[in-house]
């Protein structure tokens, strides 16, 4: 029950405190068709493939920006924004503010900072084994790393886009005495983007659980092995 409670709290924190999750219906407006087994056709998701357009240029450790003004560019933006919005930096007040200021449309920055301040409360951080500044106990490493599995365009026009990003990831405290061990997660982020000042910016986002596959038979790694992996394997600064 404790593990379930922590997962629910984490989900609540990275979604808007007063917003519901995506209803999960609908899909991309484009794509090929496949038989639905009833004599009709069902939409087939487009592969999340490179657009052929010049990728964005960013310095190491910087959040990706400057995405193409196109449907492919919106997908790239959504995938990269998902990585940032469910990162360990979101636990730290100063870093969280920087992320919001960079990713969100100007009119949404201040309201989002306030929502996230309430969502990432001291009680939530404590339940994750972190102090009020988002730091883990001495000898532990907090991990929250997200990997986009694919994107789906639900709606798109020249200035707005609504997309789903299917993600997996790992989160928790890697430490010998951790009460919040590192575990994996599957979730879908829905992002509403708007073309603003030459880039795609977030207007709103929500999260729901899954789709999640059956767990494999992988041996669970120890805290030291997980901590070493986080140090050795740097996260991607540009996805898709």
């Amino acid at each position: 029950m404790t593990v379930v409670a922590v997962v629910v709290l984490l989900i609540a924190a990275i979604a808007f405190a007063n917003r519901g999750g995506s209803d999960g219906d609908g899909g991309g407006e484009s794509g090929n068709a496949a038989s639905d087994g009833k004599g009709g056709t069902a939409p087939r998701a487009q592969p999340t493939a490179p657009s052929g357009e010049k990728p964005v240029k960013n310095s190491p450790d910087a959040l990706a920006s400057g995405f193409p003004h196109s449907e492919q560019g919106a997908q790239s933006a959504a995938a990269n924004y998902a990585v940032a919005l469910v990162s360990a930096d979101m636990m730290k007040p100063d870093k969280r503010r920087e992320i919001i200021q960079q990713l969100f449309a100007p009119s949404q920055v201040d309201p989002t900072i306030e929502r996230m301040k309430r969502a990432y409360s001291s009680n939530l951080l404590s339940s994750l084994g972190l102090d009020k500044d988002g730091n883990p106990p001495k000898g532990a490493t907090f991990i929250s790393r997200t990997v986009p599995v694919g994107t789906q365009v639900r709606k798109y026009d020249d200035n707005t886009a609504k997309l789903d990003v299917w993600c997996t990831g790992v989160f928790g405290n890697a430490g010998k005495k951790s009460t919040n061990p590192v575990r994996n997660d599957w979730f879908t982020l829905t992002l509403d983007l708007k073309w603003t000042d030459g880039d795609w910016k977030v207007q709103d986002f929500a999260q729901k659980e899954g789709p999640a596959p059956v767990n494999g038979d992988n041996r669970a790694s120890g805290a030291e092995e997980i901590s070493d992996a986080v140090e050795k394997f740097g996260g991607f600064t540009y996805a898709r």
Side-chain angles (χ1 to χ4, degrees), residues 67-140:
F67 297 96
H69 191 182
S70 64
E71 186 172 326
Q72 290 278 348
Q75 292 183 66
S76 293
N80 283 276
Y81 294 171
V83 173
L85 289 170
V86 198
S87 66
D89 283 343
M90 288 293 287
M91 302 293 168
K92 300 177 178 293
D94 292 341
K95 290 289 187 179
R96 181 167 64 244
R97 177 182 291 270
E98 290 178 9
I99 291 172
I100 293 171
Q101 289 173 335
Q102 291 184 56
L103 301 191
F104 282 74
S107 63
Q108 299 301 316
V109 169
D110 289 340
T112 303
I113 288 174
E114 287 303 310
R115 290 191 192 103
M116 293 296 98
K117 183 178 180 180
R118 294 193 298 269
Y120 287 95
S121 65
S122 296
N123 288 338
L124 172 68
L125 295 176
S126 178
S127 71
L128 297 174
L130 306 174
D131 64 19
K132 62 182 180 62
D133 296 318
N135 298 310
K138 185 177 180 179

Side-chain angles (χ1 to χ4, degrees), residues 45-53 70-76 79 149-153 238-240:
Q46 288 185 314
T48 306
S51 64
E53 299 180 56
S70 64
E71 186 172 326
Q72 290 278 348
Q75 292 183 66
S76 293
V149 179
T151 60
Q152 178 190 38
V153 179
Y238 182 77
R240 200 175 186 283

Side-chain angles (χ1 to χ4, degrees), residues 107-226:
S107 63
Q108 299 301 316
V109 169
D110 289 340
T112 303
I113 288 174
E114 287 303 310
R115 290 191 192 103
M116 293 296 98
K117 183 178 180 180
R118 294 193 298 269
Y120 287 95
S121 65
S122 296
N123 288 338
L124 172 68
L125 295 176
S126 178
S127 71
L128 297 174
L130 306 174
D131 64 19
K132 62 182 180 62
D133 296 318
N135 298 310
K138 185 177 180 179
T141 302
F142 181 74
I143 300 167
S144 183
R145 187 172 293 185
T146 297
V147 181
V149 179
T151 60
Q152 178 190 38
V153 179
R154 302 181 69 174
K155 294 180 182 178
Y156 177 82
D157 59 39
D158 284 344
N159 294 309
T160 62
K162 188 180 185 73
L163 308 100
D164 290 335
V165 185
W166 182 29
C167 304
T168 186
V170 292
F171 73 95
N173 275 323
K176 292 182 179 180
K177 298 182 180 180
S178 173
T179 58
N180 177 36
V182 178
R183 60 183 66 87
N184 69 315
D185 192 17
W186 290 85
F187 57 94
T188 297
L189 283 179
T190 298
L191 296 100
D192 290 301
L193 304 181
K194 183 177 181 179
W195 185 257
T196 306
D197 297 331
D199 206 353
W200 291 106
K201 298 292 184 179
V202 181
Q203 285 283 104
D204 197 3
F205 80 99
Q207 179 179 336
K208 66 177 183 179
E209 295 180 355
V214 175
N215 288 330
D217 295 327
N218 302 83
R219 175 188 62 84
S221 299
E224 184 175 350
E225 187 177 355
I226 291 292

